[in-house]
């Protein structure tokens, strides 16, 4: 036998586990339910973990004790204590009702995708529209300042801005005021 084959862990027969669960499962579950203050989900998890321990330790079934129930209850109680300690060492869990009423955090990925979409849409505009948007929106200039910087009348700045924004709305559905 190779060293890796000899290091394989022996496990309890699945039929023996099923018999054990049939015989002691209900009593163990009720005991664990009390330890978890009525939390059925935690009690079920602890019951399963207790049965996993039996499966991992076939020598427990081979004992000469009249019943395995005391051993099962001891294992379940220790698992409940360990679980309680683990929960105390972690931050308090937040329920679904709190999450439903909390504000969503900023989504950096969503903002990055939006920036890429806008950059691509602005790049597709005619040059004169791009220049006006760059002055008014990206550099924060007033119509008069953009007019002076571009060397065109203020009315032209206004009309180009209007048509540039209209073109952007067509190629960026789902963005802007209409999206909310």
């Amino acid at each position: 036998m190779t060293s890796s084959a000899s290091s394989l862990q022996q496990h309890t027969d699945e039929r023996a586990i099923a018999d054990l669960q049939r015989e002691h499962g209900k009593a163990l579950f009720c005991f664990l339910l009390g330890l978890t203050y009525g939390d059925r989900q935690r009690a079920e998890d602890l019951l399963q973990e207790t049965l996993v321990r039996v499966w991992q330790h076939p020598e427990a079934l081979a004992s000469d004790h009249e019943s395995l129930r005391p051993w099962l209850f001891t294992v379940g109680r220790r698992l409940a204590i360990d679980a309680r300690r683990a929960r105390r060492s972690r931050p308090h869990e937040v329920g679904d009702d709190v999450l439903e009423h909390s504000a969503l955090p900023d989504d950096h990925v969503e903002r990055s995708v939006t920036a890429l979409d806008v950059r691509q849409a602005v790049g597709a505009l005619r040059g004169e529209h791009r220049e006006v948007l760059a002055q008014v929106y990206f550099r924060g200039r007033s119509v008069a300042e953009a007019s002076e910087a571009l060397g065109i009348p203020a009315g032209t700045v206004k009309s180009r801005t209007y048509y540039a924004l209209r073109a952007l709305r067509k190629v960026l559905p789902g963005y802007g005021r209409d999206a909310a």
Side-chain angles (χ1 to χ4, degrees), residues 119-170:
R119 183 175 288 141
Q120 185 178 15
V122 169
L125 293 174
R126 291 182 17 205
E128 57 202 23
H129 290 155
R130 245 189 340 266
E131 290 173 343
V132 168
L133 289 182
Q135 293 295 320
V136 175
Y137 286 98
F138 301 126
R139 291 193 179 110
R141 293 187 173 156
S142 67
V143 172
E145 293 170 334
S147 170
E148 188 178 321
L150 294 172
I152 57 176
T156 304
V157 170
K158 289 178 184 179
S159 68
R160 286 183 184 174
T161 302
Y162 170 80
Y163 286 110
L165 292 175
R166 193 169 112 185
L168 286 177
R169 281 189 198 100
K170 286 181 182 176

Side-chain angles (χ1 to χ4, degrees), residues 7-56:
S7 67
L8 289 176
Q9 187 176 11
Q10 295 294 321
H11 296 292
T12 306
D13 179 40
E14 290 179 24
R15 284 174 294 190
I17 297 288
D19 292 342
L20 194 68
Q21 184 172 12
R22 237 183 332 278
E23 186 177 342
H24 303 289
K26 188 173 182 180
L28 181 58
F29 176 75
C30 289
F31 173 70
L32 294 170
L33 195 58
L35 292 178
T36 60
Y37 305 104
D39 187 334
R40 295 186 68 79
Q41 183 64 50
R42 284 195 176 127
E44 289 172 5
D45 290 346
L46 290 168
L47 175 65
Q48 291 301 316
E49 184 60 31
T50 302
L51 293 174
V52 166
R53 297 292 168 96
V54 173
W55 180 71
Q56 291 173 334

Side-chain angles (χ1 to χ4, degrees), residues 31 63 113:
F31 173 70
S63 73
V113 169

